[in-house]
Amino acid sequence: MEIRNICCIGAGYVGGPTMAVIANYCPNIQVNVVDINPERIDQWNDDDFSKLPIFEPGLAEIVKKCRGVNLHFSNEMENQIKKADMIFISVNTPTKVKGIGAGQAIDLKYVEASSREIAKYSEGFTIVVEKSTLPVKTAQTIKDILDAESKSKEKFTEKNFAVLSNPEFLAEGTAINDLNNPDRILIGGDNKEAIDSLVRIYTNWVDKSKVLTTDLWSSELSKLIANAFLAQRISSINTISALCEATGANIKDVALAVGMDKRIGKYFLNSGPGFGGSCFKKDISNLVYISNHYGLSEVAEYWQKVLDINLWQQKRFVELIVKQMFGTISSKKIAILGFAFKSNTNDTRESPAIYICRKLIEEGAILNIYDPKVSQNQINKDLKGCKEDLNVPNNNKKWTFSNSLYETFNDTDAAIFMTEWEEFQNLDWSTISPKMRKPAWIFDTRSIIKKNVIKKYGINIWQVGSGS
Ligand code: NAD
Ligand code: UDX
């Protein structure tokens, strides 16, 4: 079956970049991205390409080239679903906040809503592709919703569906490169015609040897497990960072030595403030939930530890910051460098900076926060309702937003490097040093600052995995 018209439900961090790349490589396919959030669609359609809702290197250039040609963003759910031969579900799948499984299970309400819209508006044979990360067996739920509609006698509809799983492995900050050069394309399903249609789209730019086809459940589960394995490496290296600090070893050397073993590999061995982002915590929590659901409590406990270590790393950072600063940070001014959960993104979801800033504010510190891509408005949302400032009408009192990297250090007692932005890696310390109140401290949670340079200016420095 030749695909001429694609609809993607969800114009977020996955839907937007993924569809932009498909449009770029498939000029004969019309790609329509729809979303229930009108503000987000307006941002995707903004003539000022710096105002796209997502900052991702290389994305604006593709949107500039394809938008209005074969890439379109709109709220026209009904129309676009009707026209589509293939529909990607790329909506958010957050952790449930209440009810059964709260804090662990995935809330499938947006997936279910999308499936109902597809069931209602689609016409003829439609291939439905799960792009969102979903608990294993979700395809059955989608199929049940779609089948109920196609079998509905009263409506005499001529519609039928094939459901495929095609999880996305892109990482934020490198999304366009990851989409252009994926390690693999995973497609799960049981309808050969539908699978072939999707394979044909990807092989416009991806070598066929990288396309792996499996059954639906293996595909759905593989995505969760890939994220779990990546996160597990981060928790592993973070436990060792503490051991290095205690023993005088250096985490960078240890990671290098360990990673040179081909069987281990060098990636995902950077110790830091713990993993953030919208995926790891949510997906591992879900893995814990699913394991318990199937009565596999040992499996659940094993993966729960990966999450526990992540939080432990953040807690121990707060404790050591307070301890190093003579046991109190009350009314002390602290610069926060970086608020995004990693560099090259404006995304702050589950960013370690949120937890750490909230705890510092609770201890009475006054923060001055700088991030090259995160807006003041976003930080405001993330730090809303901090304990310390519950009675303070103006939430900004406990933190200020800095537009200028160097001014962020003005009158501060300490600076904490939270995100590994490139612009933090070669700072002019002769300019910064006089701005800070002595004795001044640098806490480098990413190990990006050159220790010997800092020391020349009489500033104390603590780094993850090598200490002070
Ligand atoms: P997101 O929150 O950035 O975007 C989801 C979008 O879906 C939102 O704009 C929301 O308004 C829209 N939406 C929700 N319900 C809708 C509906 N019924 N109709 C139309 N639009 C609807 O989320 P994201 O980061 O793009 O993640 C999407 C999925 O992809 C999740 O399952 C996530 O786990 C997975 N994933 C994310 C990443 C990542 O790096 N962010 C990577 C791989 C996979
Ligand atoms: C992750 C997966 O990498 C990706 O394949 C999946 O599709 C979505 O989830 P993402 O969360 O966007 O991608 O970024 P990633 O690069 O994995 O980083 C996640 C977190 O781990 C960040 O907070 C990052 O700073 C941290 N991290 C990563 C480390 O602390 N050390 C590392 O060595 C690597």
Side-chain angles (χ1 to χ4, degrees):
M1 176 180 168
E2 198 184 347
I3 306 299
R4 294 235 165 252
N5 205 305
I6 286 177
C7 172
C8 173
I9 305 180
Y13 281 85
V14 168
T18 310
M19 291 304 123
V21 169
I22 290 182
N24 193 28
Y25 285 110
C26 308
N28 298 329
I29 299 178
Q30 287 296 315
V31 180
N32 291 287
V33 190
V34 294
D35 202 289
I36 38 169
N37 180 344
E39 238 173 69
R40 208 164 221 193
I41 291 298
D42 287 347
Q43 287 173 306
W44 278 111
N45 285 323
D46 205 304
D47 286 336
D48 178 352
F49 287 89
S50 70
K51 291 199 177 132
L52 295 182
I54 291 165
F55 170 72
E56 198 54 73
L59 174 65
E61 289 78 358
I62 302 179
V63 175
K64 209 175 204 171
K65 181 180 155 201
C66 300
R67 200 180 67 193
V69 181
N70 68 331
L71 176 67
H72 314 274
F73 295 91
S74 77
N75 300 111
E76 293 175 9
M77 209 83 71
E78 177 174 349
N79 240 343
Q80 301 308 339
I81 290 176
K82 222 173 238 173
K83 287 198 304 204
D85 312 308
M86 182 177 272
I87 302 176
F88 287 81
I89 299 178
S90 197
V91 297
N92 38 331
T93 49
T95 304
K96 274 183 87 170
V97 288
K98 55 183 181 187
I100 299 167
Q104 283 191 329
I106 293 290
D107 191 340
L108 287 173
K109 66 180 173 193
Y110 303 112
V111 175
E112 187 176 329
S114 309
S115 308
R116 289 183 190 280
E117 302 262 312
I118 297 170
K120 196 163 153 194
Y121 299 127
S122 67
E123 288 179 353
F125 177 60
T126 309
I127 300 169
V128 177
V129 184
E130 297 176 338
K131 195 43 123 175
S132 298
T133 303
L134 297 169
V136 55
K137 298 243 160 182
T138 304
Q140 193 56 55
T141 308
I142 297 176
K143 275 181 176 180
D144 288 347
I145 292 170
L146 298 176
D147 285 351
E149 182 68 22
S150 58
K151 285 174 193 148
S152 156
K153 294 223 168 49
E154 297 107 62
K155 292 179 186 153
F156 302 105
T157 50
E158 282 289 328
K159 34 179 125 183
N160 46 71
F161 306 92
V163 178
L164 301 179
S165 158
N166 172 222
E168 183 48 61
F169 294 95
L170 68 79
E172 288 177 30
T174 53
I176 299 302
N177 189 41
D178 296 341
L179 288 162
N180 282 337
N181 310 291
D183 286 347
R184 78 303 216 176
I185 296 292
L186 178 58
I187 300 174
D190 47 24
N191 181 315
K192 187 164 181 321
E193 189 190 0
I195 292 171
D196 288 347
S197 299
L198 188 53
V199 170
R200 268 198 301 278
I201 291 175
Y202 282 112
T203 47
N204 279 303
W205 76 98
V206 180
D207 196 274
K208 211 163 177 198
S209 62
K210 288 191 172 176
V211 180
L212 175 66
T213 54
T214 67
D215 63 85
L216 274 166
W217 316 141
S218 304
S219 172
E220 288 179 332
L221 190 58
S222 298
K223 172 63 200 180
L224 273 194
I225 305 309
N227 274 354
F229 271 57
L230 290 169
Q232 179 207 43
R233 281 173 73 98
I234 300 169
S235 280
S236 296
I237 201 73
N238 283 343
T239 61
I240 306 307
S241 70
L243 198 54
C244 285
E245 290 158 30
T247 57
N250 187 316
I251 193 68
K252 281 197 166 169
D253 291 335
V254 173
L256 183 66
V258 170
M260 280 172 83
D261 185 324
K262 281 201 289 292
R263 295 167 301 173
I264 297 172
K266 64 181 178 181
Y267 297 105
F268 269 69
L269 287 180
N270 291 325
S271 68
F275 52 78
S278 65
C279 294
F280 286 170
K281 185 176 170 200
K282 149 181 96 71
D283 291 342
I284 298 179
S285 301
N286 185 230
L287 181 59
V288 171
Y289 182 76
I290 291 173
S291 303
N292 275 325
H293 172 82
Y294 287 102
L296 301 167
S297 58
E298 285 79 3
V299 179
E301 280 163 27
Y302 177 81
W303 289 106
Q304 179 61 45
K305 210 67 199 160
V306 171
L307 293 172
D308 295 346
I309 290 293
N310 203 49
L311 185 57
W312 169 78
Q313 181 83 333
Q314 290 165 32
K315 277 188 178 154
R316 86 177 181 91
F317 282 8
V318 173
E319 280 165 19
L320 82 83
I321 290 166
V322 175
K323 197 170 150 209
Q324 296 278 24
M325 295 179 74
F326 310 118
T328 177
I329 53 170
S330 182
S331 299
K332 289 184 181 163
K333 215 171 156 194
I334 300 179
I336 302 291
L337 285 305
F339 202 80
F341 79 97
K342 64 185 283 198
S343 61
N344 289 321
T345 178
N346 60 345
D347 196 349
T348 63
R349 289 178 290 180
E350 299 295 340
S351 176
I354 299 175
Y355 176 87
I356 289 179
C357 286
R358 294 181 84 95
K359 289 291 166 193
L360 296 175
I361 289 172
E362 273 177 44
E363 291 284 336
I366 299 156
L367 310 180
N368 195 14
I369 306 175
Y370 170 84
D371 187 289
K373 290 293 171 194
V374 178
S375 67
Q376 179 170 9
N377 192 23
Q378 185 57 50
I379 300 174
N380 209 13
K381 282 185 197 155
D382 290 331
L383 296 184
K384 211 167 175 191
C386 281
K387 242 191 198 160
E388 176 74 11
D389 64 343
L390 275 184
N391 299 319
V392 181
N394 179 4
N395 177 307
N396 285 348
K397 251 193 157 163
K398 286 293 164 188
W399 64 273
T400 47
F401 180 74
S402 171
N403 277 313
S404 146
L405 171 54
Y406 281 88
E407 280 172 23
T408 315
F409 294 88
N410 287 355
D411 307 320
T412 53
D413 296 279
I416 308 176
F417 286 84
M418 289 302 312
T419 315
E420 73 284 22
W421 285 101
E422 206 178 326
E423 65 184 274
F424 298 161
Q425 297 181 21
N426 283 306
L427 292 169
D428 174 5
W429 289 98
S430 66
T431 307
I432 294 169
S433 177
K435 292 174 181 279
M436 298 183 78
R437 194 164 75 137
K438 303 293 179 318
W441 272 95
I442 299 296
F443 297 97
D444 177 7
T445 73
R446 298 278 183 172
S447 201
I448 51 171
I449 304 297
K450 291 184 189 85
K451 243 183 185 170
N452 47 350
V453 176
I454 291 267
K455 282 186 174 166
K456 276 193 223 149
Y457 293 96
I459 301 174
N460 301 301
I461 177 161
W462 172 92
Q463 273 182 323
V464 65
S466 63
S468 359

